[in-house]
Structures are given as C-alpha cells and as structure tokens.
Amino acid sequence: MSCCSKVICCGCSHGTIRGGKASLDFPCPFCRKSTRIIDEDVMKQRLKRVGANDPVAMYQEGTFQFEDGNYERSFEHFIKAAELGHVEAHNLLSRMYNNGQGVEKDNGKAIHHVEEATIGGHPTARYNLGVYEWNNDRNERAVKHWIIAANQGDDDSIKALMEAFKRGFIYKEVLADALRAHQTAVDATKSPQREAAEDFFRQIDKC
C-alpha cells in the first residue's frame, strides 16, 4: 500500500524501492512524495485519509486496531469502510459477527456481509459462503460457489471440490474444468517482477 492509501501489488512496490535504492529514499508511486518517514508520520497520514472518508485507510486503521485487540474500534472502522464499498471490510465484518468480536454474535449479519463480499468478487468470501451452504445441506449451491471461487484462483475451493467429487456431488469433467481454470487464474497473477518482489521481501523477513 502506498502512503496515500492506494493499493499496489508487491511487484510495483519492489520496483519503486529499486528505483530509489541508491539514496535509500524512494517516492510513493502515486503522489510522488518521499516515503522516508517515521511511524508517527505514517499514522498521521493514515488518519488524515480516514478523515477524508477514504475506505482503504479506514480498512487499514481497522486492521491495526484489530491486531491490537481493540475489536470495537476495529469494527467501527470496518463498518464505515464497508459502507463505502470496501469488499475486504465486508469479509472481515462477517467473521467478526460470526465470532462475536467487537460486536454481538449475529449469524444473519454475518451472512449478509459475506454475501456482500462475494458480490464484490472476493474469492475467500465466496468459498466461505459455499461452506455455509454445504453445512446447511444445499450441496448444489455450495458447489457452484466453489467452482466460481476456484476460477478466481482460490485454493480452498479446489480442495472442497475434490472432497465433493469423492462424495459423488460433481462429475469428473466438472472437477477437471475447475482445476484448469484455477491454474489459469494462478498463472495470471505471476510475473518476473512479482517473483523478484517475493524473493526480496522473503530476504527482508529473514533479517
């Protein structure tokens, strides 16, 4: 994520870092401001974006609050982000309603938010919705959700489809089509730049 709350892939982030390697100072790919700033400045910038009703900044602040165990404050930020259309915020709200984190447990609202995330194209949310359907003996609907999620590259959905195949709920040809579509989706996310970035960030984690 850039300093101005724009989401970028790891390959683009790595490319920007390499561009400023000589001076150990590199610009934000979007606003071009220097990213050589301290944590306090980062927080101020994030809160500034929250005040501007930036859904990405609200979601990010929610994740920080969640990691610190401040579930109620996290919930408040996720709700605002979701109202502004942030798909991942809907997905996490579903979990919070399901687990009673920062809010009273509410299965109906948990399903509502996972459905909203699914409509927004979130593959993990669609997998989870498939699990919900499966657990409620709506196996055909579950399989449909898993096929769509597998087409988006979701690994858990492939595992679920394999289990459904073993139990006789889908044909071999359907599973084969899902496997091919899943591999195509996974391959589409690969690039030399992203592979270089993954190696770079792995090396940092080892330090």
Side-chain angles (χ1 to χ4, degrees):
M1 181 177 296
S2 64
C3 70
C4 45
S5 298
K6 301 292 185 181
V7 178
I8 58 177
C9 75
C10 59
C12 294
S13 177
H14 178 240
T16 303
I17 292 172
R18 288 187 63 191
K21 190 173 182 180
S23 63
L24 297 179
D25 190 13
F26 46 90
C28 167
F30 289 92
C31 69
R32 311 310 298 172
K33 289 184 179 180
S34 170
T35 56
R36 182 186 255 179
I37 50 181
I38 61 176
D39 289 344
E40 184 179 348
D41 292 327
V42 172
M43 183 178 68
K44 287 180 180 179
Q45 175 69 1
R46 184 173 67 251
L47 293 179
K48 180 180 178 181
R49 296 305 307 160
V50 168
N53 287 329
D54 185 328
V56 177
M58 288 180 181
Y59 163 76
Q60 187 180 25
E61 181 64 20
T63 60
F64 281 116
Q65 295 295 338
F66 189 93
E67 290 170 359
D68 288 340
N70 301 322
Y71 299 130
E72 291 185 2
R73 293 190 65 185
S74 174
F75 176 81
E76 292 172 0
H77 283 92
F78 286 152
I79 278 288
K80 292 178 181 178
E83 289 173 351
L84 293 169
H86 198 284
V87 175
E88 179 60 26
H90 277 296
N91 185 52
L92 293 181
L93 282 170
S94 174
R95 296 184 187 181
M96 295 182 80
Y97 272 116
N98 187 60
N99 298 327
Q101 293 172 299
V103 66
E104 187 176 345
K105 284 188 177 183
D106 190 318
N107 186 62
K109 290 183 179 180
I111 295 301
H112 165 73
H113 284 290
V114 79
E115 287 178 339
E116 288 296 315
T118 296
I119 292 170
H122 198 294
T124 303
R126 188 173 287 278
Y127 162 76
N128 289 334
L129 189 55
V131 172
Y132 171 77
E133 299 289 7
W134 183 272
N135 291 338
N136 285 277
D137 297 322
R138 293 189 285 268
N139 307 108
E140 186 175 343
R141 293 176 66 175
V143 166
K144 288 180 179 179
H145 282 303
W146 291 335
I147 289 174
I148 295 172
N151 289 348
Q152 295 175 292
D154 185 70
D155 294 337
D156 288 331
S157 292
I158 283 293
K159 295 175 183 177
L161 287 171
M162 289 180 173
E163 184 62 30
F165 170 71
K166 292 178 182 178
R167 299 190 183 190
F169 286 98
I170 60 173
Y171 294 111
K172 182 178 181 179
E173 294 77 12
V174 174
L175 177 60
D177 288 343
L179 286 166
R180 284 192 292 269
H182 172 266
Q183 189 59 52
T184 298
V186 171
D187 290 342
T189 65
K190 295 180 179 180
S191 71
Q193 293 83 359
R194 288 181 178 176
E195 290 176 359
E198 289 174 1
D199 182 63
F200 173 76
F201 290 119
R202 274 197 299 269
Q203 293 301 318
I204 289 179
D205 289 338
K206 292 178 180 179
C207 295

